[in-house]
Amino acid sequence: MRRLRTLFALLLGALALAGCTLVPTASSPQRIGPKHVPFGLLGKTIPGTNNGRVRFISQPVYIVDATGHLAAVSRIVPSPPVLESVLRQLIIGPTEIESGGGYTSALPKNLIILSASFRSGIGYIDLASTLSKMRRSQEVLAVGQLVLTAKDVGITLGIHVTGIEITVAGVTQILPLPNGHSAIFVTTGDFQRLSNS
C-alpha cells in the first residue's frame, strides 16, 4: 500500500511538472535581431580565430541512378575539397529527394574511411573494412563510386587523377573491374562505361 501511495504521489508530481515550462512559448516563430545574437555568430569570420573563414563549393560525387549507372550529384563541401571529407559525403548516400528519384548507393552506410589522399596522381583510400563481402555487382558499383568521385576531386584541385588503390587497415585490396577482371590499381577509364554521363 505504501508503494502504491508513493507511485501515486510521483505520478501526480510528474503531471504537475509537465504543465510547467521554463521557456516561454509563442504561437509563431519570432525574429531575433542581429544585435541579440551572441558570440559573433553572424560575423564573416569564425569566432575565436584570427579572421578565419570557411568557404564552401559544390563538389560532384557519384551515386547509383535508377538504371544502375553511376551519376554525378552535387554535395556542398569546404573549399578547397579534401578527398577524405568528400568521400565521407559520398558514404552518407543519396538525399531524400534523390532516393525518391530512384537513386541509391552501393557503398555500405557503416563504411569507415581511415584516410584518403592523393600522391602522384593516385588516390589512396584506406578503409576499416573490406568491400569484398558484398555481391560482386554491388562491389563493382561501390569501387566505381570511389574512383569517379576521386577523379572529380582531383579535377577541382588541378590534379590529374589516374586511378585509386584501396587498402583495408593498410592491406592492399584486389578490386573487381566491370569487365570481370580484378586489379590492385583501378583507373577512371575502367569505370567510365558505368557512368551515365
Side-chain angles (χ1 to χ4, degrees), residues 29-53:
Q30 301 295 314
R31 185 170 183 83
I32 299 174
K35 292 180 182 178
H36 300 293
V37 177
F39 311 118
L41 296 176
L42 295 179
K44 294 183 179 186
T45 61
I46 301 170
T49 65
N50 289 335
N51 297 320
R53 294 176 185 255

Side-chain angles (χ1 to χ4, degrees), residues 63-99:
I63 59 177
V64 183
D65 68 11
T67 65
H69 290 88
L70 298 177
V73 295
S74 292
R75 294 293 182 265
I76 304 298
V77 297
S79 176
V82 176
L83 181 59
E84 190 171 336
S85 64
V86 174
L87 292 180
R88 287 197 175 114
Q89 287 296 313
L90 174 64
I91 290 172
I92 292 172
T95 64
E96 284 185 35
I97 293 172
E98 292 164 349
S99 294

Side-chain angles (χ1 to χ4, degrees), residues 40-149:
L41 296 176
L42 295 179
K44 294 183 179 186
T45 61
I46 301 170
T49 65
N50 289 335
N51 297 320
R53 294 176 185 255
V54 177
R55 299 185 197 284
F56 295 94
I57 62 167
S58 179
Q59 179 65 44
V61 298
Y62 284 80
I63 59 177
V64 183
D65 68 11
T67 65
H69 290 88
L70 298 177
V73 295
S74 292
R75 294 293 182 265
I76 304 298
V77 297
S79 176
V82 176
L83 181 59
E84 190 171 336
S85 64
V86 174
L87 292 180
R88 287 197 175 114
Q89 287 296 313
L90 174 64
I91 290 172
I92 292 172
T95 64
E96 284 185 35
I97 293 172
E98 292 164 349
S99 294
Y103 288 86
T104 60
S105 178
L107 293 165
K109 286 260 189 214
N110 60 352
L111 185 66
I112 297 171
I113 296 174
L114 299 176
S115 67
S117 60
F118 293 114
R119 288 191 308 270
S120 302
I122 298 173
Y124 292 92
I125 302 170
D126 192 24
L127 304 175
S129 59
T130 183
L131 297 174
S132 63
K133 296 176 184 173
M134 304 164 63
R135 291 189 338 258
R136 183 173 175 92
S137 61
Q138 286 297 103
E139 187 181 4
V140 167
L141 286 171
V143 173
Q145 285 182 262
L146 293 170
V147 72
L148 294 178
T149 299

